[in-house]
Structure formats: C-alpha cells, structure tokens
Amino acid sequence: MTKLSVNINKVATLRNARGGNMPDVLKVAQDCERFGADGITVHPRPDERHIRRSDVYALRPLLRTEFNIEGYPSREFIDLVLKVKPHQVTLVPDSPTQLTSNAGWDTKAHFTFLGEVLDVFNQAGIRTSVFVSTDAEMIEYAAKAGADRVELYTEPYASAYAQNKEEAVAPFVEAAKVARRLGLGLNAGHDLNLENLNYFYQNIPWLDEVSIGHALICDALYLGLERTIQEYKNCLH
Ligand code: PXP
C-alpha cells in the first residue's frame, strides 16, 4: 500500500495571513486523518512563515497516523525533531529563504554531513528519508550515508507529464529500481496532483509514500477536504 501523507504547510500559510487561528492547523491535520490520510507532513522553516515550531510540538500528541517532519538539518531543526520524535524525518537541502524545495541533495558532495545527521536520527529510532533526484549515484550515496528511504523529487515528472508521460516517468522507474536493489524504502513528492499521481503509482506500485501539499489544498477549495483526500487515495489503487 502506498501511503498518502498530506503536507499541511499551505494551511498554516493561510492562517498566518491574518494572524489569528483560522483555519485551525491542528484541527485540519486531525480532519485529514479522519478523511483517510495515512500521514501528516510539516516543513518548519527558520522564519516560521508556514508551520511554526509550536505547531510541530502541538501536533505530535494529537496525530494518530504517521508524522513526517521535513526540512534542512540545521542545529535547530535537528533539536526540534529529536524532541518531537516523529515517525519519519525527511532531509531537504533547502536554504532558509527558498520559496519551496527545488532540488534533491548532492549526496556525494554532502556525504559526511548527511552521514553524521542520519546517524543521530537513526540512534534516536526515527526513520530517515533523504530527498534526491533520479540520479542513481545520488541514491547510492544516500544508502551509503545510512538513509532508510529516499524521497524522489517529482517536479521534473510533473512538468513533463502533459507532453509525454511515458518519457516523464521512465527515469523515476529506473531510480525506484535502484532504491529497491539497495534495500531502501521509497517516497516521492513535489507537484504530484490528481492528474499525474495515478500514472506515477501504476508505474512504481512499490512506492511506500507520497507527500502532497500544494495541489491537494488547492483541490480542496473546489472539492472540499474530505472528497479531495478520497480522490488522492483513489489514485493510489
Ligand atoms: N516533499 C518535499 C521534500 C517538499 O519540500 C514538498 C514541498 O514542501 C513536498 C514534498 C510537497 O510538494 P507539493 O506541495 O508540491 O505537493
């Protein structure tokens, strides 16, 4: 079964626009679970422009499904994750001011750093995932550094999908095979949506998890959150 983890950063962005507590991020997370999400993802950034550190602490005892915290492993991020102890941490090579993640790690260039960080999380019993492109070498170095999983950066798939979906998915299938051969779990995320998700899943049915935020929250404006989550889940059958 491929799990759907809903990234709720966009909900926090909406809340922060007015300074109050509408929408209530904690309630939305719990409703996502009630409507069928298999997990909740947050991406706390140093400037707290979306999810705040206080949200991350408050979410932990409320969630009944898998909690995934993603972000750049700064000292502060590592401390937060170790205190909160989510089920999974996803390491992303974001700079603090970046609009959104736009590349995977160069796991070869950052091998020593990633190895040290992964070791800390592995020792704390937190499953680790490293955000990477489809480059086989990047996946191999993620495995060598001690990652439990890799998360494939799917923006190139999403942007090429409309033109030629067979070509768009081909490098992801190859990368998924490399991950499987190395014994790594496999996640995917970025720009996945109701149009492109099912085809991705059909080609890589051994995916462990997809993490989806932007398109899902946009769809919820039209369809409502409950139906939206059900439709995303339907893409994973
Ligand atoms: N995975 C990672 C590592 C991300 O940084 C993001 C965006 O925060 C996502 C998945 C979800 O991407 P999207 O919001 O485009 O669904």
Side-chain angles (χ1 to χ4, degrees):
M1 179 190 134
T2 302
K3 290 187 169 175
L4 170 67
S5 186
V6 175
N7 180 320
I8 57 168
N9 261 47
K10 211 98 299 157
V11 179
T13 307
L14 189 56
R15 175 201 58 192
N16 297 353
R18 278 293 175 97
N21 193 34
M22 195 168 82
D24 180 338
V25 170
L26 305 182
K27 181 174 183 309
V28 172
Q30 290 175 289
D31 285 338
C32 286
E33 291 187 318
R34 201 156 54 84
F35 298 150
D38 307 297
I40 299 293
T41 292
V42 294
H43 190 144
R45 289 196 161 84
D47 60 6
E48 301 199 313
R49 66 185 190 270
H50 317 127
I51 281 287
R52 300 176 184 140
R53 296 166 66 85
S54 56
D55 296 324
V56 183
Y57 286 113
L59 280 164
R60 183 65 180 106
L62 297 179
L63 298 182
R64 298 285 166 264
T65 60
E66 284 214 351
F67 193 21
N68 173 46
I69 306 181
E70 60 181 36
Y72 180 82
S74 62
R75 191 65 255 169
E76 294 70 33
F77 178 86
I78 294 171
D79 288 346
L80 176 68
V81 174
L82 290 177
K83 280 192 190 123
V84 173
K85 273 201 167 240
H87 301 87
Q88 176 175 273
V89 59
T90 301
L91 307 184
V92 181
D94 272 8
S95 74
T97 53
Q98 207 158 307
L99 194 58
T100 182
S101 318
N102 62 2
W105 283 95
D106 184 338
T107 52
K108 191 175 179 185
H110 298 283
F111 178 70
T112 307
F113 172 65
L114 284 172
E116 285 167 6
V117 172
L118 289 168
D119 194 41
V120 170
F121 291 132
N122 288 336
Q123 285 195 27
I126 301 168
R127 190 175 71 224
T128 54
S129 180
V130 172
F131 196 50
V132 288
S133 70
T134 53
D135 183 336
E137 198 179 31
M138 296 301 121
I139 299 169
E140 282 158 9
Y141 272 89
K144 268 193 217 163
D148 296 311
R149 294 188 182 183
V150 285
E151 177 178 332
L152 298 177
Y153 173 49
T154 46
E155 191 280 333
Y157 163 73
S159 56
Y161 177 87
Q163 201 127 36
N164 185 333
K165 59 184 180 182
E166 290 83 7
E167 267 180 31
V169 84
F172 288 85
V173 176
E174 288 315 305
K177 287 180 184 163
V178 173
R180 189 168 58 178
R181 179 169 52 74
L182 294 168
L184 290 169
L186 186 67
N187 298 344
H190 229 285
D191 298 289
L192 294 173
N193 61 35
L194 284 177
E195 210 183 319
N196 62 34
L197 179 60
N198 180 250
Y199 187 72
F200 194 81
Y201 167 75
Q202 278 177 25
N203 279 276
I204 313 172
W206 65 92
L207 262 179
D208 289 300
E209 177 187 291
V210 289
S211 158
I212 307 182
H214 187 76
L216 188 152
I217 301 301
C218 292
D219 289 331
L221 289 176
Y222 287 91
L223 306 176
L225 192 55
E226 182 165 13
R227 186 171 147 207
T228 301
I229 289 177
Q230 284 308 314
E231 295 216 358
Y232 275 82
K233 292 276 291 179
N234 289 342
C235 293
L236 299 170
H237 288 301

